[in-house]
Amino acid sequence: MATKPGILTEWPWARLGNLKYLVLAPFACHSIYTFFMRKDESHQRDLFYILVLPFTLSRMVHYQLWISLSRYRTAKGNSRILDKSIEFDQVDRENNWDDQIILLGLLYYVGYLMIEQSHHMPMWRTDGIILTALIHIGPVEFLYYWLHRALHHHFLYSRYHSHHHSSIATEPITAVIHPFGELLAYYTLFSIPLFTTLFTGTASIASFGAYVTYVDFMNLMGHCNFELIPKWMFSIFPPLKYLMYTPSYHSLHHTQFRTNYSLFMPMYDYIYDTMDKSSDTLYEKSLERAAEVPDVVHLTHLTTLESIYHLRLGFASLASKPHTSKWYLCLMWPITLWSIMLTWISGHTFVVERNLFKNLKLQTWAIPKYRIQYFMQWQRESINNLIEEAFIEADQKGIKVLSLGLLNQEEQLNRNGEIFIKRYPHLKVKVVDGSSLAVAVVLNSIPKGTSQVVLRGRLSKVASNIALALCEGGIQVVMLDEEDKKRFKAKLTPEAATNLVCSKSYNVSKTWLVGDELSEDEQLNAPKGTLFIPFSQFPPRKARKDCFYFNTPAMIAPKHLENVDSCENWLPRRVMSAWRIAGILHALEGWNEHECGDMMLDTEKVWKASLEHGFCPLTKIFAA
């Protein structure tokens, strides 16, 4: 929102939420009906009217491709222009980027119905395309330049344009984040070539589509925050620098505010002496910038089939919220199926996210495998090969710590990463499975004064060490399976073993520590008001509304963790899993040992370190 919102700031359909797409529905239905059911006197169907809907959808795909590409490239760091972080407030502010796509679709539909000359346009007319290009180079670029300068006057800036400039580090969609009235002014300018060709009889479907695609492409490219225009283009044709800007050129406008006002063609900045003097220097510096080498890498993987859309590289609005299933993602099944097939046959670990913790550079890498694939025996070798490649790459790059997230540290897969340490004993990168902090988080989540807990679910390294700590601390651990009890008892001292009991009753305690294999029946048998505290990587499927469910082991990140604009799977905003935090602590403290296999760090030491570095316990619990 602008600092002093002016008239026509809010979009007309803002209150409709996701139902805003319905404003196009009557026109889309009418265009389909007209195309297939009605013909005019010449017995010809009009292509333009029917093509408005697929063209509108293709624009959304175009925008999404730029979002994904930009986020991937800026996370890697090569050719990145500006290092300033992007936070949740920017993601929320730019969440309505599709409003202008709906607006243009609406204008196309209404224009077709009201303007006779728009009927039966030919597919191609060369003279119309040339005329469109000339009018854009002349009147459109000239008028935009002066409109843009006017928008930087304090009166208009505070009421309109400041909303756009709230984003210093831009993303492609920043290009279209404007108040409704300001965007109407831009669309009025961009309509000049279209109306000119329409009323001179030179318009074509190609000229209309190509011009909008050109404006979208240049707009998105100019805000992508990584440099991608190669130097050879300007070497071959030097005047090109007056006819085409670069992402770094426009990035300076967002940091300096009073320079580089041009739309896409910098010639008017040269003419009126408003070109930033550092434009060429920043362009070359950005272009030559190498990929960033992080200090810590967290290795994760895809979870559900929909998780590809919840990744930071996917849909920004979904990534910025805890992972929940959305019905409309079912409509994306062709893309989902294609992604599944791609991960099935090949794949390579890819960078998902970058963060900064004080002076520590962090990255998240993802194994392109879904959770279900980790349980397939024939997929395990392929998954381990990908994890091994990530280890080797991290070691070669000089990365200090690699933490294993989700099922990448599964005991049955690679013994919590131990097989790689044995295979490569001279690895310099420290491997962390995060079990010590996960244990500490669970222990500190148990309500004070608790004397008895139920331990249920698949028993893992984390579960074993939780039970050990509780028994030694004088808290009784109740197990519902005799075989599980026997296995645990062998690891305990005789004194501690007295606190390990087996019971067939579910009503012994209202504090349950639960793992992956907790069944719905077991939840239903738990007493009313039970606290379910997961020790597993994945949360239990909630079956009770009269009980309370903690998040999986996690902590709230401190404010000095920067560039946080997405949620980690199902966790709330700015909350990180214990396994991810463990890698950060390992690097901050300079701990020199691995934490994998059966190896554990001192849980009390790890817990104190997390608090000292600003991480806070996540005490919030949720009813089902």
Side-chain angles (χ1 to χ4, degrees), residues 331-393:
L331 304 176
M332 307 282 290
W333 68 264
I335 299 173
T336 306
L337 183 61
W338 174 81
S339 71
I340 294 170
M341 296 302 297
L342 195 64
T343 61
W344 219 277
I345 58 176
S346 63
H348 189 273
T349 303
F350 58 94
V351 181
V352 175
E353 186 177 4
R354 74 174 180 95
N355 305 104
L356 188 68
F357 192 96
K358 298 178 181 177
N359 295 320
L360 208 63
K361 295 176 182 177
L362 316 174
Q363 281 187 356
T364 299
W365 296 357
I367 299 287
K369 297 289 183 181
Y370 292 93
R371 180 187 181 187
I372 190 173
Q373 292 171 281
Y374 281 74
F375 297 102
M376 298 176 178
Q377 190 68 37
W378 60 279
Q379 279 283 298
R380 288 183 175 177
E381 183 180 355
S382 170
I383 291 169
N384 268 334
N385 287 340
L386 289 170
I387 298 172
E388 185 175 340
E389 287 172 12
F391 271 90
I392 295 169
E393 184 181 349

Side-chain angles (χ1 to χ4, degrees), residues 42 84 102 119 252 256 303 319 378 398 427 447 466 487 534 577 611:
S42 62
K84 186 174 173 61
I102 295 172
H119 296 187
L252 279 168
Q256 305 303 316
T303 53
W378 60 279
L427 277 176
I466 290 170
R487 280 209 313 268
S577 68
L611 299 178

Side-chain angles (χ1 to χ4, degrees), residues 63-331:
Y63 276 64
Q64 183 55 51
L65 289 173
W66 271 106
I67 293 168
S68 299
L69 175 63
S70 175
R71 288 190 158 201
Y72 173 69
R73 286 292 300 271
T74 53
K76 284 188 69 178
N78 52 320
S79 301
R80 190 170 64 233
I81 300 165
L82 199 63
D83 287 333
K84 186 174 173 61
S85 66
I86 294 171
E87 305 293 335
F88 283 114
D89 59 342
Q90 181 171 336
V91 177
D92 293 339
R93 186 173 59 250
E94 297 180 349
N95 197 28
N96 68 328
W97 60 267
D98 51 349
D99 278 345
Q100 51 83 34
I101 295 180
I102 295 172
L103 177 62
L104 186 65
L106 202 59
L107 292 174
Y108 268 0
Y109 278 130
V110 174
Y112 174 85
L113 295 173
M114 294 181 64
I115 302 171
E116 184 68 29
Q117 289 88 338
S118 64
H119 296 187
H120 297 294
M121 285 192 294
M123 186 61 72
W124 177 275
R125 278 198 64 154
T126 303
D127 53 356
I129 290 175
I130 294 171
L131 183 59
T132 299
L134 291 174
I135 293 172
H136 177 85
I137 295 169
V140 173
E141 287 280 346
F142 176 77
L143 292 171
Y144 177 90
Y145 175 85
W146 287 107
L147 171 63
H148 196 176
R149 289 194 65 168
L151 286 167
H152 276 262
H153 183 275
H154 65 84
F155 181 84
L156 291 176
Y157 185 83
S158 62
R159 286 163 175 77
Y160 297 99
H161 203 51
S162 59
H163 182 61
H164 177 70
H165 274 278
S166 298
S167 302
I168 306 299
T170 59
E171 293 201 275
I173 51 177
T174 306
V176 293
I177 302 304
H178 303 283
F180 178 62
E182 185 178 341
L183 202 76
L184 282 179
Y186 295 146
Y187 272 16
T188 301
L189 284 181
F190 298 144
S191 70
I192 294 172
L194 303 181
F195 278 122
T196 303
T197 56
L198 207 57
F199 292 121
T200 57
T202 58
S204 65
I205 293 174
S207 67
F208 268 57
Y211 183 59
V212 173
T213 302
Y214 164 77
V215 170
D216 281 345
F217 180 87
M218 295 299 290
N219 225 354
L220 295 165
M221 181 196 73
H223 291 80
C224 67
N225 197 30
F226 70 93
E227 192 53 77
L228 74 164
I229 306 299
K231 289 178 70 174
W232 61 261
M233 290 180 65
F234 299 105
S235 301
I236 291 175
F237 186 60
L240 187 63
K241 71 176 184 177
Y242 303 110
L243 300 174
M244 185 176 76
Y245 74 170
T246 65
S248 57
Y249 185 92
H250 190 71
S251 178
L252 279 168
H253 176 69
H254 276 261
T255 55
Q256 305 303 316
F257 296 104
R258 297 293 181 182
T259 57
N260 297 7
Y261 290 104
S262 292
L263 178 55
F264 308 136
M265 300 179 176
M267 58 184 174
Y268 291 109
D269 280 316
Y270 282 94
I271 292 171
Y272 297 110
D273 196 28
T274 52
M275 189 199 77
D276 197 288
K277 300 298 185 280
S278 62
S279 296
D280 292 339
T281 304
L282 182 62
Y283 167 72
E284 293 184 7
K285 182 181 176 182
S286 302
L287 206 58
E288 294 168 1
R289 186 171 185 175
E292 192 169 77
V293 177
D295 300 298
V296 179
V297 165
H298 181 64
L299 192 64
T300 186
H301 62 79
L302 300 168
T303 53
T304 66
L305 299 181
E306 295 176 353
S307 62
I308 190 169
Y309 308 113
H310 292 265
L311 284 178
R312 186 179 179 273
L313 308 183
F315 296 161
S317 60
L318 293 182
S320 67
K321 298 179 181 66
H323 186 166
T324 53
S325 184
K326 303 291 183 182
W327 66 268
Y328 52 81
L329 291 179
C330 295
L331 304 176

